[in-house]
Every structure is written in structure tokens, then in C-alpha cells.
Amino acid sequence: MKYFMHKDTEISLKLQSKIQRYFDNIKVIKTKVILNKKIYNTIVDINSFLLPTNFDCFNCLTNCCVQFPYEFNKKARTTILENLKEYENLTKAISILKEEGLTENEIITSIKKDPMLIPQEHIETTFNRCTCSCVHIDRHLCALHKICLDNNFSIEEIIDTKPLWCSIYPLEILIEETTDTLYIFVPTMNNNHLSMNDSNFPCMNIRMSKSPSFRRENPIGFEYDDYKPFIISYFSILKYILGDTFIKDLSTNLNLNKDFNSTSQYNKKI
């Protein structure tokens, strides 16, 4: 068993045993998922999708996007190169690399070819976090996501441009490679110890959002009534990435039959 988004990271036998015991003792549904054009049998921690969430990124000052994601795809690289000035204004990545001795041609070549858009020797040294993370009007945001929105990309185009891990975060996906079976859950207080994703943020924890320190730093947004079950917050994302069968089976099991804004997650980003 491995983390689907981190297949180079081995899961210990002890952790595998914990994961198996967890899924053996909770309510699950079995469904099908289409991921990267491949169909997987999937076991889902159904109740975790009811976790109250509020991904109101523009009204949050939490320092997020702290890790380097999966390799950026061709569309992401093209989008950055076509909007190089805005990418530089948001991230200062180009000027920083020039100060490190790289020429502009070398930087552009790196954006085209290197897994993290920068030369390997600058990962975790010159840049200790994703090069697309940025601070925009005192908000920690994704420069690539903002560029997509500024260019009027549709939700589907944004998802296809950003790294898959970034689009589905904080969803956790495990894979049993011998049977091509996926185990999917939303990190909660009950299962967070099984997750590789760091999800201990106010957007996924109402109690944290009510703390005096958070409310002082985030005086607007994050009202209690704005928290919605994860399946609603991420409905359009789950449907597009994991397929119609997955979202239909979850919706049916959770009696999700009322109208809601299925694009709320991406509309609230900026």
C-alpha cells in the first residue's frame, strides 16, 4: 500500500495495519473512480466527506501551500510562460534565481523542463516551498491559480492546469497496488494520523477558526454558517477529477439532493 500522490514514499507495515483496521471498522462504500484515465475499484470513508469545511482562501491569512507538489504539467508551464510578468510579480521567482546567478534563458528552460520549475539544487535551499506559492495583498495564495482566474479559465481548465495534488488537497488517496484498489478519505480528527497531508488548518477545523488568535488574524470571513460538508465544498472538483460514478454514489449515500452552488470552492479562492 502506498500514498497515491507520493508513490516513492513507502508505508510501513505497522501503518498499513492501522489503515486496514480503520477501514474495517468504519462505514464505507465501494465504488469506481476514474483517475488519470484509469478505472479503480475504490473504498471510501463515507462519513469523512461530511466534515465541515470552509475553503475561503481570500479571507485567510494562514501560511498554506508549504510543500512542493507533484511535477507540473505542460499546461501549467505554458500558462506560466505566457504570463511570466505576473508570475514574477507574484512570486519573485525569476529575480531571485537571477540573483543566484541564472540567466533569463536558463530560468525559462527550467520552467519548461524541471519538475518543480526551478533547478533541483535550489529546492529546499533557495526556495523552501512551492515556487507558485505567493503573498497577494497579505493573503497566502497560489500564483498559478490566480493567473488562471485572471485569464478567465473555467473550473475544468484550472484543475487541468494545476498539479493534481493541489486540486484535490486535502483529500487523501491510498492505493493497494496488487489489486489496484484505492482507499479514499478526508482527513479528520478520527483519521488524521493515517494521512500524509497536513490538514490541521481552520478551513477544516471549526474549533480552530473560533480561537481568539485566528479571529484576530482573520477578522473577516470564516463565519460558522459558511462551513459546508466537504462533499459540497468540493463537489465540482470531485466530480471532474474522480468521475460521475464516484460523485453519484457518494451523493446517493449521503442523501445529497438539495440545490447548492457546485462551484463555490473555486469561486471563493480570490
Side-chain angles (χ1 to χ4, degrees), residues 186-205:
V186 180
T188 67
M189 291 184 66
N190 293 328
N191 62 32
N192 198 42
H193 62 290
L194 308 177
S195 176
M196 183 173 242
N197 288 330
D198 181 5
S199 56
N200 192 28
F201 295 116
C203 53
M204 299 181 65
N205 188 328

Side-chain angles (χ1 to χ4, degrees), residues 15 44 68 80 84 105 114 123 131 133 139 142 152 158 188 197 221 223 230 245 269:
L15 181 54
V44 183
F68 284 91
I80 289 172
L84 207 56
N105 284 339
D114 286 329
I123 295 176
T131 45
S133 65
R139 265 56 173 173
C142 171
N152 297 313
I158 296 174
T188 67
N197 288 330
E223 296 294 333
F230 180 86
T245 300
K269 283 289 186 180

Side-chain angles (χ1 to χ4, degrees), residues 224-258:
Y224 180 85
D225 290 343
D226 290 336
Y227 280 78
K228 307 297 180 185
F230 180 86
I231 187 174
I232 293 179
S233 296
Y234 261 46
F235 188 90
S236 55
I237 304 167
L238 297 171
K239 179 180 174 66
Y240 184 68
I241 294 178
L242 301 180
D244 290 338
T245 300
F246 176 85
I247 200 67
K248 180 181 178 182
D249 288 348
L250 258 69
S251 299
T252 299
N253 191 279
L254 295 173
N255 296 316
L256 188 66
N257 53 19
K258 61 182 180 180

